[in-house]
Amino acid sequence: MKTRKLLDKLVTYLDGDARQRKKERDDLKAVLKKLKRREKKLLNHLKDEKDGNRQKTLKNEIDIVHAQRKKGVRLLKGTPD
Amino acid sequence: MLRRILLPSIFLVLAYGFWISPDFKTISAGVAVFLFGMLSLEEGFKSFTGGVLERLLRRTTDKLWKSLAFGVVSTTLMQSSSLVSVITISFLSAGLIGLASGIGIIFGANLGTTTGAWLIAGFGLKVDIAAYAMPMLVFGVILVFQKPKTAKGIGYILAGMGFLFLGIAYMKDGFDAFKETIDLSQFAIPGLTGLLIYTLIGMAATVVMQSSHATLVITITALAAGQVTYENALALAIGSNVGTTITAILGALSANVEGKRLAGAHLIFNVTTATIAIILIKPFATAVDGISGMFGIAADDYTLKRAVFHTLFNLTGILVMLPLIGKLVTLLERTLKAKAKHISEPRYLTTSAMDFPDTAVEAVRNETLHIYENGRDIIAAGLYLRPADLTGDIDLAERVAVPVHGSPPDINSAYETRIKPLFNAVINFISKSSFGWEQRQMADLHWLRDANRHLVEAIKGTKHLQKNLALYVRGDNPYIRDEYNQLRLQIANVLRALEQARSSEDADVAILALDSIRAKLEQSDDAFSDRLYGLIREHRITPQMGTSLINDTGYTYDIQRDLIEMAATLFAGPEHELAPAQHKLTLDEDEMAEALNEGGGPDEPETPPGKVDGA
């Protein structure tokens, strides 16, 4: 690793704010990963569901999870590295 | 009385000793500096308990070998088995780990503490340890004056190690000079009497200094200076091992029964190990000679041989006791019985849980969950439902359609006996623990107190609702009965959805799952209002019934909202470090409306630059 890169890493480590921002990004990514899994699962449930009412409930739930994911991606774009 | 004269007597004896022997003064100063180093080290490690230790404990206690390894490694790093035992007791009391895991950690800590003997015997006495202490002290103290918590913590640890080294150097110098004036080894007692007497001395010294490490250092330095015989030093090691449990026992006095059981396990382990070592002292000594020979330790290097002995007899203790952990747990559970806790008694709010910010927050979270469970049952009873109806998977619509009989439950008295005392205890606990804490845990406690308040509001709402509900669900008018059954159904649905969010595989994103429940609440509320006005218009219900229904619809809405708000804090789940990120993603009213109108669909959200795995 180049000296400059090492120095950057050290500065990031010593800079409390930068570390905090990194943690926030990492946590957001972790939640987004879980949400993606949840949306997939709900979509699979929807495929198997025959009852109209339950289909509607599941559809709403999927829309909400999707909106949460969109919001998360927007937030990630806005958070500096 | 004894306590009153003990301290002045110790002072007098020490002062007399300092007067007649400058070497004794140096040794005592060494012990004092060493103990101060331990205090500083503890302070340093405590500042790292804000999350790191908690996460480590969670991940390292699911299997016995992991608990053992955690005990060994953490004690090796912290060089204090007492600190590890006190932390373990505190985590156990707060419900963060189980008894068997706790016992595993304690066993491991006993082995970890022997690394101290190796460090001191192998390193501390052979090099000029004071030379290492000086820079550590300087860097440590500079860091202690820094503002960031991490720097301060590292500073305390460095300074602590510096003081430990300095203390060892002082003791070494003191004993080296001491042997020129007085030969303590003339007091050596051979045979079994010596073994027992020196075991007791080791025990007493450790109890007084509250540190087996301090006894260890004194023993090793005295041994190196030839002031105690090798056999007596072994007995001192056995005694200090038993004496160290006193810290755990003191720590457990304020803990709940789980903490007391752990201290019991610690005592049983150390007494058993000591008994084995005393009985088998001869074979042990032979084994130590053999092992030392194998590793090239000189036959007269008694300090290293003592370290081998210390490790060997603790290892033997672990090997003997490990298969018996299950039986030990049963025995402790049988002898130290949990006082049958009344439903209104706090289960987790113990004084020892107050020791660390994380355990305090966890204790309040667990207690709040306890209050929630009590509250859920009270609300269910207020709706003429059983708790099992909410947790099972029977059709709730069919369940509420079943005719209701019997007198209404007394929500007021249930609240007074099952909620209020616990709520008071939580408030009391939070107010006692709120000094000198870092911000994150204080914020957590603030939110948890809020969660309790929402729950209390939900119960009070149920009480208000129940007045008319009890009248109409048992009355003759089928229309108003159906409407009130719908109110019951709405609350029951929310309670069940909360239970599912809490216990499903997706519990780690439970906070975000609440958005769907919130969306349902807003939708059902609109539909309900439309139907209500229709019924009044068509004279199916009287205007008086209509007014009651309007008011009670409001109560029903508030109860559901309060329950959801409560869950947003309480159901952060085991990975609640992700809670802030989840809160950022919860949708506000406009976003929710947009999501439901647009029907976002399966098109993937645009991934930002840089790989975002989950998006």
Side-chain angles (χ1 to χ4, degrees):
Chain A
M1 203 182 286
K2 289 207 177 107
T3 326
R4 196 182 169 84
K5 241 182 173 179
L6 267 173
L7 272 176
D8 282 349
K9 279 212 158 185
L10 185 71
V11 169
T12 316
Y13 181 76
L14 292 177
D15 179 357
D17 287 345
R19 229 172 356 161
Q20 179 64 24
R21 278 200 302 275
K22 188 178 175 327
K23 189 181 174 328
E24 280 173 14
R25 277 183 71 84
D26 290 349
D27 285 356
L28 260 180
K29 284 182 191 175
V31 172
L32 281 175
K33 206 172 178 179
K34 286 171 194 290
L35 279 179
K36 189 177 186 179
R37 218 177 41 213
R38 186 168 150 79
E39 188 177 347
K40 251 190 192 164
K41 211 167 73 183
L42 288 170
L43 280 167
N44 283 338
H45 274 216
L46 182 65
K47 266 187 217 155
D48 301 337
E49 188 59 65
K50 301 278 180 282
D51 182 275
N53 267 339
R54 285 203 195 125
Q55 270 181 348
K56 202 178 157 219
T57 313
L58 276 171
K59 181 89 191 24
N60 282 347
E61 234 174 281
I62 292 166
D63 290 343
I64 287 169
V65 174
H66 197 78
Q68 289 167 337
R69 285 180 59 206
K70 265 186 173 169
K71 190 175 179 179
V73 170
R74 232 177 14 246
L75 278 174
L76 265 185
K77 277 182 180 171
T79 323
D81 279 312
Chain B
M1 180 67 188
L2 186 72
R3 204 176 270 184
R4 227 183 265 169
I5 57 164
L6 190 66
L7 197 62
S9 314
I10 292 176
F11 274 23
L12 273 175
V13 170
L14 284 174
Y16 180 69
F18 297 159
W19 186 45
I20 58 161
S21 163
D23 304 328
F24 177 66
K25 195 162 65 189
T26 313
I27 297 170
S28 306
V31 176
V33 173
F34 185 90
L35 288 176
F36 186 76
M38 295 285 290
L39 286 180
S40 178
L41 211 56
E42 286 190 16
E43 190 64 37
F45 281 113
K46 269 190 186 175
S47 66
F48 286 104
T49 53
V52 183
L53 203 65
E54 186 194 2
R55 271 201 298 277
L56 260 178
L57 260 177
R58 268 219 183 95
R59 284 179 198 160
T60 51
T61 51
D62 52 344
K63 291 200 174 71
L64 188 59
W65 69 267
K66 282 191 185 173
S67 312
L68 262 177
F70 179 84
V72 175
V73 174
S74 58
T75 314
T76 306
L77 289 177
M78 298 190 199
Q79 285 299 306
S80 166
S81 62
S82 309
L83 181 61
V84 173
S85 344
V86 171
I87 293 175
T88 312
I89 288 174
S90 167
F91 275 66
L92 188 68
S93 309
L96 273 169
I97 53 170
L99 183 59
S101 311
I103 295 177
I105 296 175
I106 295 290
F107 284 9
N110 267 290
L111 194 61
T113 195
T114 65
T115 54
W118 286 97
L119 284 177
I120 298 157
F123 170 73
L125 298 179
K126 296 205 166 61
V127 292
D128 182 11
I129 199 166
Y132 291 91
M134 306 298 177
M136 279 188 184
L137 282 175
V138 177
F139 290 132
V141 171
I142 292 175
L143 284 173
V144 166
F145 284 114
Q146 300 305 307
K147 223 173 171 189
K149 217 183 111 238
T150 323
K152 223 183 238 299
I154 295 174
Y156 273 116
I157 292 173
L158 266 184
M161 281 163 62
F163 280 123
L164 289 189
F165 285 4
L166 197 65
I168 294 171
Y170 269 118
M171 281 187 250
K172 201 175 115 190
D173 289 350
F175 272 114
D176 281 342
F178 206 43
K179 70 179 171 195
E180 284 156 23
T181 47
I182 303 168
D183 184 10
L184 277 180
S185 61
Q186 61 184 310
F187 299 110
I189 309 166
L192 184 66
T193 330
L195 188 64
L196 293 177
I197 289 178
Y198 272 84
T199 303
L200 283 178
I201 294 175
M203 231 167 89
T206 309
V207 170
V208 170
M209 292 188 282
Q210 289 274 298
S211 159
S212 60
H213 257 63
T215 318
L216 175 88
V217 180
I218 295 175
T219 314
I220 292 180
T221 42
L223 184 63
Q227 293 282 26
V228 284
T229 62
Y230 172 56
E231 287 76 20
N232 290 162
L234 298 189
L236 284 171
I238 300 173
S240 78
N241 232 37
V242 180
T244 194
T245 55
I246 202 76
T247 321
I249 291 170
L250 288 177
L253 285 181
S254 64
N256 61 8
V257 71
E258 288 283 318
K260 290 194 176 86
R261 283 174 186 158
L262 188 69
H266 197 177
L267 185 68
I268 292 174
F269 174 81
N270 288 36
V271 169
T272 312
T273 314
T275 315
I276 295 173
I278 289 172
I279 296 171
L280 301 176
I281 190 86
K282 285 259 154 61
F284 265 121
T286 320
V288 168
D289 287 342
I291 293 169
S292 301
M294 261 162 51
F295 287 98
I297 298 169
D300 60 347
D301 194 343
Y302 292 122
T303 52
L304 272 181
K305 278 169 77 175
R306 186 210 163 283
V308 175
F309 172 75
H310 202 175
T311 307
L312 188 68
F313 89 80
N314 269 301
L315 199 62
T316 312
I318 291 179
L319 290 178
V320 170
M321 295 297 286
L322 214 51
L324 303 173
I325 278 193
K327 286 203 174 114
L328 190 61
V329 170
T330 322
L331 174 80
L332 287 163
E333 280 171 353
R334 223 177 271 164
T335 29
L336 294 170
K337 280 213 172 77
K339 224 175 26 179
K341 284 260 174 195
H342 191 263
I343 204 139
S344 61
E345 270 183 273
R347 285 182 194 158
Y348 304 95
L349 307 177
T350 59
T351 322
S352 69
M354 244 183 244
D355 286 349
F356 303 97
D358 277 333
T359 52
V361 171
E362 204 56 30
V364 173
R365 187 186 303 281
N366 282 333
E367 202 59 63
T368 308
L369 273 171
H370 177 205
I371 302 179
Y372 159 70
E373 280 159 13
N374 282 356
R376 177 200 60 199
D377 295 353
I378 294 174
I379 296 174
L383 301 174
Y384 296 94
L385 294 171
R386 291 164 306 182
D389 295 335
L390 304 172
T391 46
D393 44 37
I394 61 160
D395 191 326
L396 282 172
E398 283 173 21
R399 178 66 187 86
V400 293
V402 175
V404 170
H405 303 288
S407 54
D410 186 353
I411 294 186
N412 229 0
S413 93
Y415 170 76
E416 289 291 331
T417 54
R418 295 178 64 183
I419 302 291
K420 207 174 164 191
L422 295 177
F423 186 41
N424 289 345
V426 165
I427 298 297
N428 191 26
F429 185 87
I430 291 177
S431 68
K432 273 187 191 161
S433 343
S434 58
F435 294 105
W437 280 18
E438 56 180 304
Q439 226 178 345
R440 185 177 65 79
Q441 279 96 351
M442 279 311 291
D444 281 351
L445 286 182
H446 168 81
W447 291 114
L448 283 169
R449 196 179 48 198
D450 238 33
N452 274 293
R453 199 178 51 76
H454 282 299
L455 183 65
V456 168
E457 289 298 322
I459 295 169
K460 286 186 177 165
T462 312
K463 193 183 83 178
H464 294 309
L465 172 69
Q466 205 211 17
K467 205 177 123 199
N468 292 322
L469 189 130
L471 185 73
Y472 295 129
V473 292
R474 293 181 302 173
D476 297 328
N477 183 331
Y479 297 103
I480 193 73
R481 190 172 58 228
D482 281 353
E483 289 310 320
Y484 272 87
N485 280 343
Q486 283 306 313
L487 298 186
R488 289 169 68 204
L489 182 61
Q490 281 180 37
I491 301 173
N493 272 331
V494 167
L495 280 171
R496 178 178 279 182
L498 292 183
E499 282 299 315
Q500 280 167 349
R502 181 184 160 200
S503 54
S504 75
E505 315 165 14
D506 296 324
D508 41 9
V509 281
I511 296 176
L512 289 171
L514 297 177
D515 270 354
S516 310
I517 305 174
R518 215 175 266 130
K520 264 185 234 159
L521 168 65
E522 298 306 329
Q523 284 172 337
S524 59
D525 196 50
D526 289 343
F528 190 73
S529 305
D530 292 345
R531 205 170 58 244
L532 165 73
Y533 289 117
L535 281 171
I536 297 174
R537 254 196 326 269
E538 290 158 20
H539 304 288
R540 305 251 187 234
I541 58 175
T542 65
Q544 192 197 2
M545 287 173 177
T547 320
S548 300
L549 198 51
I550 288 170
N551 285 336
D552 290 333
T553 308
Y555 283 133
T556 306
Y557 177 81
D558 289 346
I559 292 167
Q560 295 174 84
R561 207 197 43 207
D562 275 319
L563 286 171
I564 295 170
E565 292 303 317
M566 172 222 61
T569 307
L570 194 55
F571 291 1
E575 286 193 49
H576 53 257
E577 67 249 41
L578 290 183
Q582 290 189 63
H583 282 299
K584 272 189 212 154
L585 299 193
T586 48
L587 305 179
D588 62 31
E589 247 173 71
D590 293 339
E591 289 166 331
M592 184 94 77
E594 196 186 332
L596 295 174
N597 289 336
E598 256 183 22
D603 60 311
E604 283 295 291
E606 194 191 331
T607 312
K611 51 221 173 285
V612 180
D613 207 11

